[in-house]
Amino acid sequence: MDLNYTAEEMAFREEVRAFLKAKLPPEIAAKVASATQLSKADYDHWHLALAEQGYLSGPWPKKFGGQEWSAVQKHIFEEECALAHAPRIVPFGVAMLAPVLQAFGSTEQQDYYLPRILSGEDWWCQGYSEPGAGSDLASLKTRAVREGDHYIVNGQKTWTTLGQYANKIFCLVRTSTEGKPQEGISFLLIDMDTPGIEVRPIILIDGEHEVNEVWFTDVKVPVANLVGKENEGWTYAKYLLTHERTGIAGVGGTNAGLQALKRLAHSEMQHGRPLIEDPLFAARLARFEIELMAMATFNLRTVAGADAGKAPGAESSMLKIKGSIMRQQINDLARRAVGPWAMPFVSEQLAGNLYHPGPEYAAKASNVYLNNRKISIYGGSNEVQRGIITKAILGL
Ligand SMILES: Cc1cc2nc3c(=O)[nH]c(=O)nc-3n(C[C@H](O)[C@H](O)[C@H](O)COP(=O)(O)OP(=O)(O)OC[C@H]3O[C@@H](n4cnc5c(N)ncnc54)[C@H](O)[C@@H]3O)c2cc1C
């Protein structure tokens, strides 16, 4: 398998670089680089810039206004964005719901929702998980009971990422309790303004408001908002999850973290010498870089295989596990590199490291480390991925 980039792919990389140089506002990139929480306005600005360039819908089918990017193009795009400290694309509309609507939605739903996803008119969030239904998603209990032209929805979703900004939520709801749990689930599109919906913040370990609980009390949802067929939502949900797990290795982001850490290790002094001259730290960094190169090659092999028509199976799980561990490791190294300056991690102290004055670059080291504990949980926890690998590869 040839892992070198073609001339077209290299030209595409240059095009993406030029776009990022021209359109990514330095103040937004600085926020991303320093792990400062982005405002809704920051996300909206970047969303529109990408939409205008046609990059937001790059991976979409041409039929829906996309460019049918290859897996390699998608990989190049993500890598360059990470290196330039561009905000991550909020995936719920563009990369999760859109493929489901394109595959299973009605023509009316496609015509109405897809343009609104690109224009940013609709900000979607994902209503899958519930207390007691995370890894075991099929045990979800939020009920939708049909009454005439509406469903009446009651229940609770949790861990809803950026739900505080969303005006729409796609939900898995139980429409039947007969048969296997997977058989009674439907996929509903719900307007967050509907009476009976309450969004409650969950503050994470780093002190930030990133996720929420969403409560539903007698929420009236038009039957027209059902995607596909009633009780067949599990099929659509699984289809969506295959999109959620692509790119989860996060090689670009980890590489950006490594480069930043290398720069820091040259300037940060320890016992009167640059940190990079500390043999233990240098060895840790070298070992990390070697492992990252190995993972990047495995990632490219999987991506090239996908372009050649080989659907990634257990490879996705392997990349998820290794990728999340490496992202957490680079955060750990970054935290250790700044030593005691990493201590203040309470949100009130973040603006300028007030409690424990130190260099600006060190202020968020612990927050990032703590926040990214999530990566080995969401998108299917690493334990669950290990279960998938033992079944698919070891046949256990
Ligand atoms: C920051 C963050 C953002 C999220 N955003 C969203 C979102 O926007 N929308 C949404 O719907 N969900 C979201 N999630 C939820 C996420 O998908 C779930 O947290 C995840 O699926 C795990 O479910 P759980 O938290 O209920 O843990 P559980 O499923 O209860 O698992 C608890 C522990 O048991 C282990 N375990 C469970 N089952 C098995 C098994 N079969 N074999 C071995 N070990 C097992 C798990 O690995 C874990 O360690 C988010 C989660 C986080 C942390």
Side-chain angles (χ1 to χ4, degrees), residues 92 125-137 157-162 204 210-211 244 371 374 376-384 387:
F92 307 112
C125 60
Q126 180 186 22
Y128 271 28
S129 306
E130 297 180 6
S135 306
D136 182 17
L137 190 56
K157 296 291 172 183
T158 193
W159 302 120
T160 320
T161 300
L162 301 181
L204 290 182
E210 179 181 329
V211 291
E244 182 172 354
N371 182 279
K374 69 189 176 189
S376 43
I377 301 171
Y378 66 33
S381 76
N382 283 10
E383 290 78 13
V384 168

Side-chain angles (χ1 to χ4, degrees), residues 144-152 218 220-221 223:
V145 178
R146 181 138 179 195
E147 282 186 12
D149 290 340
H150 287 85
Y151 288 103
I152 307 297
D218 293 332
K220 267 180 93 174
V221 182
V223 171

